[in-house]
Amino acid sequence: MDRSLVWAILLLVLGNNVVILSDSLIKLLDGFEAPFQFVLYRQLSATLMLLPVILLLKRPLLPKNLRWHATRAHIFLLGTVFMVISLTTLPLATANAIFYAAPVITVVLARLLFKERVTILSLSTAALGMVGVLVIVNPTSANIFALAALVAATTLALNNLLIKKLPSEHGIIDTLYLTNLLGIPTAAAFALFEGAAFNPDTLLIAVGSSLFAMVYAGTCVYAYRAAESNKVTSAEYTGLIGAVLLGM
């Protein structure tokens, strides 16, 4: 097996189990009613954490060719909002089970939108994954908030596929920095519209969530650049084990 493919799979396993910690922190916001404020805190904190690294590496603060970065930034913003809504209204295991429909959606979108070759093995893995998701979620007890989790899963899949559209000269740090930076104006506008009061506890949770989420996002940037999506996306299911354990 190609070494880069092995690394891509291993890093996705790591990233998916780290991001569960981010979801667990968000779960502490049960009943939270200002998702855009939380997303703004996350994006601001991520940008500020990454800025010293960007400066140390002497990378441009606003490089050229930002079209796909801006697209991913706003898809990421939308997905995070729906993720917060679903995590604060659904049990942790249920929300994460729906999030892990993302590998299935990735295989489908890769074929429909990007004309990637889909093998029998990848289709079988996707089908088995969907069956597992349905068993865990139990659709008969799902409610409207399950749709929010499904939207989050779809945005996650789309964002991972769009990684291949990014300029090759933009590394992992550049990508994480720009994904957060370019979404700040939109997040700030909606946060102002929400009008929620500042809460230091929410800010602290957002900072912690952002840190864990960046680890996952970084592994995705590497993995989906290093290999075809249908070869690595099944590794995303490994985080479902941690989600179930934490949700018990």
Side-chain angles (χ1 to χ4, degrees):
M1 186 181 290
D2 181 52
R3 181 176 294 181
S4 62
L5 178 58
V6 173
W7 273 109
I9 292 173
L10 290 176
L11 286 173
L12 273 183
V13 171
L14 171 66
N16 274 273
N17 283 279
V18 169
V19 80
I20 295 301
L21 299 174
S22 170
D23 294 346
S24 300
L25 285 175
I26 296 174
K27 188 62 183 170
L28 297 176
L29 298 170
D30 268 357
F32 187 62
E33 296 181 351
F36 283 102
Q37 182 196 67
F38 181 81
V39 172
L40 177 62
Y41 289 164
R42 267 193 30 157
Q43 292 186 313
L44 284 171
S45 61
T47 302
L48 291 174
M49 282 188 276
L50 291 166
L51 184 58
V53 182
I54 291 290
L55 295 174
L56 182 64
L57 297 176
K58 298 181 179 179
R59 303 294 296 171
L61 296 179
L62 270 179
K64 298 179 180 179
N65 302 320
L66 292 178
R67 173 189 172 190
W68 289 111
H69 283 294
T71 301
R72 290 186 74 251
H74 287 84
I75 292 173
F76 174 74
L77 188 158
L78 177 67
T80 306
V81 168
F82 279 98
M83 178 188 66
V84 172
I85 292 172
S86 56
L87 283 171
T88 54
T89 53
L90 296 170
L92 182 63
T94 301
N96 274 281
I98 303 174
F99 294 159
Y100 284 103
V104 183
I105 299 170
T106 299
V107 171
V108 174
L109 292 181
R111 177 59 183 170
L112 293 178
L113 301 181
F114 299 94
K115 308 303 179 184
E116 279 194 17
R117 183 174 58 91
V118 177
T119 65
I120 294 177
L121 178 61
S122 63
L123 282 174
S124 300
T125 302
L128 289 173
M130 179 59 78
V131 170
V133 168
L134 292 175
V135 168
I136 293 173
V137 172
N138 184 11
T140 58
S141 63
N143 56 38
I144 189 65
F145 296 110
L147 293 178
L150 188 59
V151 172
T154 303
T155 60
L156 177 62
L158 187 56
N159 248 4
N160 284 339
L161 289 170
L162 288 176
I163 287 171
K164 291 187 182 296
K165 295 283 189 180
L166 301 178
S168 58
E169 67 270 18
H170 294 171
I172 294 175
I173 299 298
D174 297 309
T175 300
L176 297 179
Y177 167 74
L178 292 169
T179 298
N180 286 282
L181 175 68
L182 297 176
I184 288 176
T186 302
F190 280 101
L192 286 173
F193 179 76
E194 280 179 332
F198 172 75
N199 187 324
D201 292 334
T202 301
L203 176 60
L204 288 175
I205 292 173
V207 172
S209 170
S210 181
L211 184 59
F212 294 128
M214 280 195 293
V215 173
Y216 168 70
T219 63
C220 286
V221 173
Y222 176 87
Y224 286 94
R225 268 182 170 168
E228 292 182 9
S229 60
N230 67 80
K231 293 182 179 179
V232 297
T233 192
S234 58
E236 303 249 21
Y237 285 120
T238 58
L240 189 53
I241 299 171
V244 172
L245 291 176
L246 286 174
M248 292 176 64

